[in-house]
Amino acid sequence: MSASYEVARAAPASSEAGGSARKSRILYSGFRWDHHDEHSGYHHVVGAPDAYVDGGRLFGGTSPIGSRARRINFLLIDCLTVLRALPYKAVLLFYPEQTSYLSAPLLRLMGKRVVYVLHLGEDYWFDRADSFFLKIKRFNLRFVSRFVVLTEQQQRVFDAHFPGRVLRIPHGAWCEQKESPRSTRDEIAPNSITVIGDTYRDYALLAELIRVLGQRMPDLRINLVGMKYEKLGEARHSHNVVCHPRLGKTEYDEVIRSALFIVLPLSFATANNALLEGLAMGVPVLCNRVHGVGEYLPSERYIFEDGEDLVRRIEAQRMKSLKDREDEAEELARHVTEHYSWPRVRERIEAFCLDVEPRS
């Protein structure tokens, strides 16, 4: 991949200087989820901060998800998006499941191209009917000009409803390497796995994995990060489990880099920040077989079937030489950089919104 994609997170605006004329034609609309730090989350798609309706800066933007203030915040995002849209050709709403109430038909009346980035699957958009506001959002789909989806599975589903308007553009990650992939560091003892996150995690499967690993590999440490540990029941008290509080960036990176694998037992996912972050650090990521998120893995080799299968994979990983682990780490980092770096994703989003050719 071209070195032009290796940019610093801290200064996204300066990296866009050469394409500012094109970027200024898109208004971005969304927010940052509470569980995302400054390095993760889809808000990194924003290429021009001055062309961004940022829900975090509005009333209720720091209130808990589900609170009345946060629901008002989502509505404010939508209203301000309409008010700010006049100078722009296209409007990208990257969390429409939460924020899109009124904007789509109004923006179309204003002559704007309306682009949704869809994170949730067909059950949310086509199957459920449990909310008046959800019905409004579903009605608004007919006014959307184009849809960005994160997986091929989503593309097949939404293409059937909106033929010719759907494009798969994967979720992004920051891929610059400030140090060698972690497997080159001799001091790391490969004797732990790390499980990250709460959203769409299969806690029943995780509890079973903890039980199997506790019996078969009692010396293996299982790091759990950012989970609702009470959902695990007694499994959270197993001798080989370490439940971490919310970690800072340095500690978070270390608990990833020091693991044989990141293991993600999932019930559903279209994309996953922990998966992409692990790959960018050269750490192998294993997922169970769920549609969608598995597309982000380099191959089927990184999908596990059950606890016994996971044991076999851990045993095989422990047997690898340092050279083999170095080679795998380099391959994983290269895979995520080539396919999922944020500048590459931004460029494809921009081209889709504006009907232009990507610059590379």
Side-chain angles (χ1 to χ4, degrees):
M1 197 64 215
S2 166
S4 65
Y5 288 122
E6 304 302 315
V7 300
R9 310 179 178 79
S14 63
S15 70
E16 303 294 341
S20 59
R22 194 189 294 178
K23 285 291 188 294
S24 66
R25 300 172 69 194
I26 302 172
L27 178 67
Y28 301 86
S29 176
F31 61 97
R32 190 182 91 184
W33 284 100
D34 300 349
H35 57 277
H36 291 156
D37 62 19
E38 66 272 22
H39 306 289
S40 61
Y42 207 88
H43 58 286
H44 288 292
V45 77
V46 176
D50 59 342
Y52 176 31
V53 178
D54 180 0
R57 297 177 177 273
L58 303 177
F59 169 83
T62 59
S63 300
I65 296 292
S67 67
R68 179 177 296 180
R70 198 58 179 270
R71 289 195 291 270
I72 293 172
N73 174 259
F74 290 156
L75 183 58
L76 288 174
I77 294 171
D78 208 38
C79 293
L80 187 57
T81 298
V82 175
L83 293 175
R84 288 194 56 190
L86 190 59
Y88 300 93
K89 176 179 179 180
V91 179
L92 181 78
L93 298 98
F94 56 83
Y95 288 131
E97 291 93 343
Q98 285 73 37
T99 65
S100 181
Y101 292 93
L102 308 167
S103 57
L106 295 176
L107 290 168
R108 288 300 297 275
L109 284 172
M110 295 167 63
K112 307 303 175 183
R113 178 170 292 167
V114 181
V115 183
Y116 276 12
V117 180
L118 301 178
H119 292 259
L120 298 184
E122 60 269 26
D123 59 330
Y124 179 87
W125 286 112
F126 304 124
D127 299 338
R128 288 173 48 187
D130 54 359
S131 163
F132 171 72
F133 293 110
L134 179 54
K135 292 177 182 177
I136 292 176
K137 293 177 183 181
R138 188 175 299 162
F139 173 79
N140 287 346
L141 291 177
R142 68 190 66 190
F143 300 100
V144 177
S145 311
R146 295 183 175 181
F147 299 90
V148 173
V149 295
L150 306 181
T151 68
E152 292 177 3
Q153 187 273 339
Q154 278 183 302
Q155 182 165 15
R156 289 192 297 271
V157 170
F158 285 91
D159 235 352
H161 292 269
F162 307 104
R165 288 194 271 167
V166 184
L167 181 65
R168 175 191 179 268
I169 303 176
H171 199 291
W174 289 110
C175 304
E176 73 276 9
Q177 290 292 334
K178 294 187 173 70
E179 59 181 289
S180 297
R182 66 92 174 96
S183 61
T184 63
R185 293 167 51 190
D186 293 320
E187 72 271 18
I188 291 176
N191 198 40
S192 67
I193 62 172
T194 296
V195 185
I196 302 171
D198 169 66
T199 305
Y200 297 120
R201 297 311 185 268
D202 188 334
Y203 280 90
L205 175 58
L206 177 56
E208 176 62 13
L209 297 178
I210 291 171
R211 184 190 66 79
V212 172
L213 293 173
Q215 293 174 353
R216 297 287 304 279
M217 311 182 99
D219 63 324
L220 181 79
R221 186 170 78 168
I222 304 173
N223 293 302
L224 306 182
V225 181
M227 310 193 78
K228 290 186 169 62
Y229 302 114
E230 65 278 5
K231 293 183 179 181
L232 283 168
E234 290 305 307
R236 70 187 186 276
H237 300 305
S238 296
H239 72 278
N240 54 342
V241 168
V242 179
C243 297
H244 294 271
R246 187 174 180 90
L247 299 174
K249 178 62 176 172
T250 300
E251 294 81 7
Y252 179 74
D253 286 358
E254 184 59 29
V255 82
I256 292 177
R257 290 180 184 275
S258 63
L260 280 161
F261 294 111
I262 291 177
V263 178
L264 296 175
L266 300 165
S267 58
F268 165 83
T270 53
N272 189 278
N273 283 284
L275 183 154
L276 294 171
E277 290 163 356
L279 296 180
M281 294 183 209
V283 181
V285 180
L286 300 180
C287 293
N288 56 315
R289 194 174 292 279
V290 293
H291 67 238
V293 71
E295 297 174 21
Y296 287 76
L297 297 172
S299 74
E300 285 261 326
R301 291 188 297 123
Y302 296 96
I303 295 177
F304 71 91
E305 302 296 340
D306 52 29
E308 290 299 325
D309 186 28
L310 182 58
V311 168
R312 289 190 291 270
R313 291 166 184 268
I314 292 172
E315 288 174 340
Q317 193 74 4
R318 281 174 162 177
M319 295 296 293
K320 285 183 178 180
S321 67
L322 177 60
K323 178 62 166 60
D324 287 342
R325 295 201 307 273
E326 287 178 353
D327 290 345
E328 182 178 33
E330 295 288 352
E331 178 186 337
L332 296 173
R334 184 167 54 251
H335 168 79
V336 74
T337 300
E338 289 179 352
H339 296 285
Y340 308 119
S341 62
W342 271 123
R344 180 178 177 84
V345 171
R346 283 179 187 165
E347 185 174 306
R348 293 187 64 194
I349 290 280
E350 172 190 332
F352 189 51
C353 288
L354 298 177
D355 281 335
V356 297
E357 289 297 320
R359 289 188 292 274
S360 63

